[in-house]
Amino acid sequence: MPDMTARVCVVTGAAGGMGSAITEVLLGAGACVVATDRDAGGLADMANGDGSDDRLLTVAGDIADGATIERAVAIALERFGRLDAAVNAAAIETETVPLHECTDDDFDRLMNINVRSMFLCMKAEITAMLAGTAGTAGTAGGAGTASIVNIASTNSFKPQPNQPAYTASKHAVLGLTRSAAMDYARHGIRVNAICPGAIDTPMLRGAIERRGRDADEVAGRLSRFGRFGTPGEIAAAALWLCSDDSSFTTGHALAVDGGMLSS
């Protein structure tokens, strides 16, 4: 396991399936984590209800509101003194109709949560990293570089039916990732994306239920392994990208998809 001892991380969407697993694996690797989500109850459960773990702090709030991520980053700086890594995992997927039936409100909501909030998160995180935590791009081995990991999707490359706004939002996440990777590499900040396939989370199960699909059929169609991925498999990828083990990797979209994009 990569060593994240004393590294300071922010995780958004931290009470959800993938976000929760990412938070747990970062803590397990020794990191200090500021976890944020709109699900205050889920955050409380993660902290065992009493905040006894002095390496985990939680911030409840809507990530589409810029004040939430600004508060999370400020707490990281105040409590731990810097920001070394961030994983932006907050997102929604609610669509079941083709583009001509997608309402303006549904489109705006998806773009607000999946894209605007990603922009706001990256803006706050990069500002904090530039203020003193970013490493030196030319350092041997890349040790000490700061890292941002954005959760995109296989929809960033291969749309699924009846997901026009979600697909557009995940293309945009990849665009933000690659643009920032180009602009901030010289400052020692790496920016990468993970593109999960069919990962067994409440969001995926909800999407299957809304469409009246059979879970086994979906798993067989979307994975060469014939199974769903686990949040832990996404968390392992996020840990690697946050750590200095991936010190020469930036602007990359890492598909963790059971081979879905191989065809």
Side-chain angles (χ1 to χ4, degrees), residues 172-251:
V173 168
L174 205 52
L176 287 171
T177 298
R178 288 171 167 166
S179 178
M182 177 176 64
D183 288 341
Y184 296 103
R186 64 190 179 90
H187 297 286
I189 302 173
R190 298 181 295 107
V191 188
N192 294 286
I194 296 174
C195 297
I199 307 301
D200 197 356
T201 63
M203 189 167 81
L204 175 68
R205 293 287 178 173
I208 292 172
E209 183 178 348
R210 285 193 301 274
R211 290 168 173 80
R213 301 279 177 78
D214 177 76
D216 290 337
E217 181 275 328
V218 173
R221 177 166 50 84
L222 297 183
S223 165
R224 303 298 179 195
F225 297 126
R227 68 169 177 86
F228 293 132
T230 68
E233 288 169 316
I234 301 300
L239 174 60
W240 180 70
L241 287 172
C242 284
S243 77
D244 286 335
D245 286 3
S246 60
S247 56
F248 202 56
T249 302
T250 196

Side-chain angles (χ1 to χ4, degrees), residues 140-160:
T145 56
S147 175
I148 293 174
V149 180
N150 296 324
I151 303 300
S153 170
T154 49
N155 279 54
S156 300
F157 297 97
K158 186 176 183 179
Q160 294 298 306

Side-chain angles (χ1 to χ4, degrees), residues 9-14 34-38 59 61-74 76-77 83 85-91 111-130 147-151 173 176-177 180 184 189-191:
C9 310
V10 165
V11 179
T12 75
V34 179
T36 181
D37 199 290
R38 62 184 176 182
V59 176
D62 187 347
I63 203 63
D65 176 2
T68 299
I69 187 62
E70 289 175 4
R71 187 161 69 252
V73 169
L77 297 178
L83 181 64
V87 183
N88 298 313
M111 298 302 285
N112 193 42
I113 294 174
N114 291 5
V115 182
R116 185 175 184 273
S117 70
M118 187 72 70
F119 163 75
L120 293 173
C121 287
M122 293 174 67
K123 184 176 180 179
E125 292 153 3
I126 289 169
T127 299
M129 291 171 176
L130 289 173
S147 175
I148 293 174
V149 180
N150 296 324
I151 303 300
V173 168
L176 287 171
T177 298
Y184 296 103
I189 302 173
R190 298 181 295 107
V191 188

Side-chain angles (χ1 to χ4, degrees), residues 7-95:
R7 302 295 290 273
V8 181
C9 310
V10 165
V11 179
T12 75
M18 285 185 278
S20 177
I22 290 165
T23 301
E24 290 176 7
V25 80
L26 287 169
L27 289 169
C32 301
V33 179
V34 179
T36 181
D37 199 290
R38 62 184 176 182
D39 180 2
L43 291 176
D45 290 342
M46 182 182 299
N48 296 318
D50 60 4
S52 59
D53 189 336
D54 62 4
R55 291 190 293 111
L56 173 63
L57 300 175
T58 61
V59 176
D62 187 347
I63 203 63
D65 176 2
T68 299
I69 187 62
E70 289 175 4
R71 187 161 69 252
V73 169
I75 288 172
L77 297 178
E78 291 166 7
R79 177 65 176 81
F80 302 117
R82 63 188 188 281
L83 181 64
D84 299 302
V87 183
N88 298 313
I92 60 169
E93 191 285 301
T94 58
E95 292 179 291

